[in-house]
Amino acid sequence: MITSSAHSTEDKICPHNARQNCSSCRLSAICLPLALAQDEVVQLDEIVQRGRPLQTDELLYREGDNFNSIFAVRSGSVKAYRVSDKGEEQVTGFYLPGEILGMDGIGQNRYANSAQAMEVSAICEIPFSKIEDLSGRLPNMQKHFFKLLSQEIVEDQRHITLLSKHSAEERLASLLVSISARNARRNLSAFSFRLPMSRTDIGNFLGLTIETVSRVFSRFAKQGLIKINKKEILVLDIDALKRVASLAN
Amino acid sequence: MITSSAHSTEDKICPHNARQNCSSCRLSAICLPLALAQDEVVQLDEIVQRGRPLQTDELLYREGDNFNSIFAVRSGSVKAYRVSDKGEEQVTGFYLPGEILGMDGIGQNRYANSAQAMEVSAICEIPFSKIEDLSGRLPNMQKHFFKLLSQEIVEDQRHITLLSKHSAEERLASLLVSISARNARRNLSAFSFRLPMSRTDIGNFLGLTIETVSRVFSRFAKQGLIKINKKEILVLDIDALKRVASLAN
DNA sequence: CGGGCTAATTGACATAAATCAATTAGGCCT
DNA sequence: AGGCCTAATTGATTTATGTCAATTAGCCCG
């Protein structure tokens, strides 16, 4: 346990000027270096670009842009969304520190989503051509990327099931459980956290209206599963929440 | 155009004993060999295994099974489905000749779906470890697999949007347009085909009940968009159908 | 420090699709 | 050829969630 306070200061401590390499990054255990040997991480390090932080609502890339890089979230959070031909906007994912986005661009050489910062966020950019090179040389790297891509497929299929077969309560509980778990993975509290996204984004992601999201939040609070203060969430009964999620995932 | 008759005999002519290699396979233009040079296809050929055909309803693999291979459909058709912790079954995809399935297993070394033949089907099996080897040696191969995986992600995200934001009519129109296009890709008729899946599977895939699927089919027929005879579909107005799909994809 | 803007909440009502139920129509086996 | 089994269709009714509307509560900026 790195922190016992409700809200970790992870994102506050020298957010954008931490020592600029993967080896010393505190996310290395869950981010790309995860799968690499010490000396391989050095090679990864050489191709990672760390730019200025993104401001809230700033776009990292836009749907249809030429695909050149994938990105890792170092601090903050990013949402990805696509616009259907019908003009409907669909949030396809939320990305927290240590998570990789942009891989949807590989197939068509264009991003299939837009990516937008939900708060001030530091992002690592990794040119994909360099990753291809590296993957050709380092079997670990290739293997890891195959895995990453595959996991995103499984993640998306889970979400398909969620949208197709589960109620509003199940969907929201599922999201809360997911965020809780991802926080825990980063050694943050699983029970007290701030949702980086708006109710609108949550609703859009879960295929619900903002009103329904709000009502379900209120119901959960009334039932004593959580305590809400705007975006601050205190999980009072994670097991009940998991039960509601029905493990809808 | 290979055939002008309403129903191609593609799947009937020597279905399982066509010359057993990728170079001469009539699907090579849309299947794995697509991305490879002549001499590279030969190397692919050496690792592809072609077993006895699957009977209708036979399982190719089961969710949770150890992952070892990916598969290409040579003839027939396969559905993939997963069971959520809630016990709900969700069809995640339909695979037609030339299409690849099983890649969801890479991430966890276990298949995340079960795969079941919807009719008698011939399947090519490709051990994934061999693909990793080959990808390390052939940049084309590696690139192609990254693309394949990425495209499945985009496909799934499209489906997420479909389920989240589109009406029953839009969903079904979208599926019909998709199948029509995939048939055209195989040089089959885009306007006259047999749906290999049941109404139950369609409903499950689209997040609808079988009754709703049936009603929407009837409505489309009444509106003169299609003609239905059980699983046989005659598309009368593909443009209208695309309009209804709203290009919900 | 106050006014206005936006996000969230809450309530009343509408609706698309689900559920329940009955009927029809094939296909298959004896 | 006839009967049975399953898949599909069609209709009547219910329901979860969406839509419309009004209210509240922060929060930013001058």
Side-chain angles (χ1 to χ4, degrees):
Chain A
M1 264 294 188
I2 283 177
T3 175
S4 60
S5 73
H7 297 102
S8 153
T9 51
E10 175 195 288
D11 298 344
K12 307 284 160 47
I13 294 170
C14 54
H16 314 308
N17 45 20
R19 255 203 84 213
Q20 300 281 322
N21 66 61
C22 295
S23 318
S24 69
C25 178
R26 82 178 89 65
L27 294 166
S28 64
I30 59 172
C31 189
L32 276 187
L34 159 72
L36 302 179
Q38 189 77 51
D39 58 313
E40 294 171 335
V41 176
V42 176
Q43 298 186 59
L44 171 63
D45 242 322
E46 275 163 21
I47 65 174
V48 174
Q49 298 166 8
R50 302 166 184 86
R52 65 170 179 77
L54 247 53
Q55 297 306 304
T56 304
D57 292 342
E58 203 176 331
L59 286 168
L60 183 54
Y61 51 80
R62 204 180 287 270
E63 186 179 345
D65 281 358
N66 282 324
F67 167 78
N68 287 306
S69 299
I70 61 167
F71 300 88
V73 179
R74 192 153 83 258
S75 70
S77 54
V78 172
K79 70 171 170 180
Y81 61 92
R82 66 204 322 282
V83 179
S84 76
D85 300 356
K86 196 185 173 188
E88 296 278 7
E89 200 169 301
Q90 172 69 42
V91 172
T92 52
F94 299 120
Y95 297 86
L96 304 183
E99 299 175 348
I100 310 290
L101 69 156
M103 297 185 297
D104 51 78
I106 298 170
Q108 299 302 138
N109 269 306
R110 317 197 152 268
Y111 292 105
N113 291 268
S114 300
Q116 187 175 34
M118 296 190 290
E119 58 193 310
V120 174
S121 302
I123 307 290
C124 296
E125 173 170 1
I126 313 158
F128 189 65
S129 61
K130 300 284 177 57
I131 288 187
E132 289 183 311
D133 290 351
L134 215 50
S135 294
R137 286 184 284 119
L138 308 180
N140 279 345
M141 189 69 168
Q142 189 194 69
K143 203 176 211 46
H144 186 57
F145 264 89
F146 282 148
K147 270 182 198 287
L148 263 186
L149 283 155
S150 172
Q151 273 158 354
E152 178 126 7
I153 290 171
V154 173
E155 208 44 59
D156 286 343
Q157 290 180 349
R158 224 192 278 288
H159 199 226
I160 286 171
T161 307
L162 195 68
L163 295 177
S164 172
K165 298 286 187 302
H166 295 270
S167 69
E169 303 211 345
E170 290 165 345
R171 294 182 207 182
L172 192 55
S174 185
L175 177 65
L176 290 173
V177 170
S178 164
I179 294 199
S180 166
R182 285 147 83 190
N183 283 343
R185 229 168 69 102
R186 290 188 284 142
N187 295 315
L188 301 186
S189 171
F191 305 114
S192 173
F193 48 84
R194 181 174 191 283
L195 294 174
M197 69 292 282
S198 66
R199 298 286 190 270
T200 304
D201 288 335
I202 293 175
N204 193 318
F205 180 65
L206 296 178
L208 302 170
T209 58
I210 170 180
E211 292 94 330
T212 299
V213 171
S214 186
R215 277 185 254 269
V216 174
F217 264 131
S218 302
R219 230 174 293 155
F220 283 172
K222 195 168 299 178
Q223 292 165 197
L225 305 191
I226 58 175
K227 230 170 159 212
I228 330 167
N229 186 325
K230 201 167 157 56
K231 294 184 168 182
E232 294 293 336
I233 301 289
L234 190 64
V235 176
L236 301 174
D237 189 345
I238 187 74
D239 292 326
L241 219 45
K242 284 180 180 170
R243 247 176 284 123
V244 173
S246 217
L247 284 337
N249 52 102
Chain B
M1 264 298 185
I2 282 175
T3 174
S4 60
S5 75
H7 298 102
S8 155
T9 51
E10 174 195 289
D11 298 343
K12 309 282 163 46
I13 294 169
C14 53
H16 315 308
N17 45 20
R19 257 203 83 213
Q20 301 280 324
N21 66 60
C22 294
S23 318
S24 69
C25 177
R26 79 177 94 62
L27 294 167
S28 64
I30 60 173
C31 190
L32 277 188
L34 159 72
L36 302 179
Q38 189 77 52
D39 57 314
E40 295 172 335
V41 176
V42 176
Q43 298 185 58
L44 172 62
D45 242 321
E46 276 162 20
I47 65 175
V48 175
Q49 298 166 7
R50 302 166 184 87
R52 65 169 179 78
L54 247 54
Q55 296 307 304
T56 304
D57 292 341
E58 203 175 332
L59 285 168
L60 183 55
Y61 51 82
R62 205 180 287 269
E63 186 178 346
D65 281 357
N66 282 324
F67 167 78
N68 288 306
S69 299
I70 61 167
F71 301 88
V73 179
R74 191 151 85 256
S75 70
S77 54
V78 172
K79 70 172 169 179
Y81 61 94
R82 65 203 323 279
V83 178
S84 76
D85 299 356
K86 196 185 172 188
E88 295 278 8
E89 199 167 301
Q90 172 69 42
V91 172
T92 52
F94 300 120
Y95 297 87
L96 305 183
E99 298 175 349
I100 310 290
L101 69 157
M103 298 185 296
D104 51 79
I106 299 169
Q108 300 301 139
N109 268 309
R110 314 197 156 267
Y111 292 105
N113 291 269
S114 299
Q116 187 175 33
M118 297 189 292
E119 58 194 309
V120 174
S121 301
I123 307 289
C124 297
E125 172 169 2
I126 313 158
F128 189 66
S129 61
K130 300 285 177 58
I131 287 187
E132 289 182 310
D133 291 350
L134 215 49
S135 294
R137 286 184 284 118
L138 307 180
N140 279 345
M141 190 70 167
Q142 189 195 66
K143 205 178 209 45
H144 186 57
F145 264 89
F146 282 148
K147 272 183 197 286
L148 263 186
L149 284 156
S150 171
Q151 274 158 355
E152 179 126 7
I153 290 171
V154 172
E155 208 45 57
D156 287 342
Q157 290 180 347
R158 224 191 278 286
H159 199 225
I160 286 171
T161 307
L162 196 66
L163 294 177
S164 172
K165 299 284 188 301
H166 295 269
S167 69
E169 303 211 346
E170 289 165 346
R171 293 182 208 183
L172 192 56
S174 185
L175 177 64
L176 289 174
V177 170
S178 165
I179 293 198
S180 166
R182 286 147 82 190
N183 282 344
R185 229 168 69 102
R186 291 189 283 142
N187 295 315
L188 301 185
S189 172
F191 305 114
S192 173
F193 47 85
R194 181 173 190 283
L195 293 174
M197 69 290 283
S198 67
R199 298 287 190 270
T200 302
D201 289 336
I202 293 175
N204 193 318
F205 179 65
L206 296 177
L208 301 170
T209 58
I210 170 182
E211 293 94 329
T212 299
V213 171
S214 186
R215 278 185 252 271
V216 174
F217 265 131
S218 300
R219 230 174 293 155
F220 283 172
K222 195 169 300 179
Q223 292 166 195
L225 305 191
I226 58 175
K227 228 167 162 210
I228 329 168
N229 186 327
K230 200 166 159 53
K231 294 185 169 183
E232 295 292 337
I233 302 288
L234 189 64
V235 176
L236 301 174
D237 189 344
I238 187 73
D239 292 325
L241 219 45
K242 285 181 179 171
R243 246 177 284 125
V244 173
S246 218
L247 289 335
N249 53 99

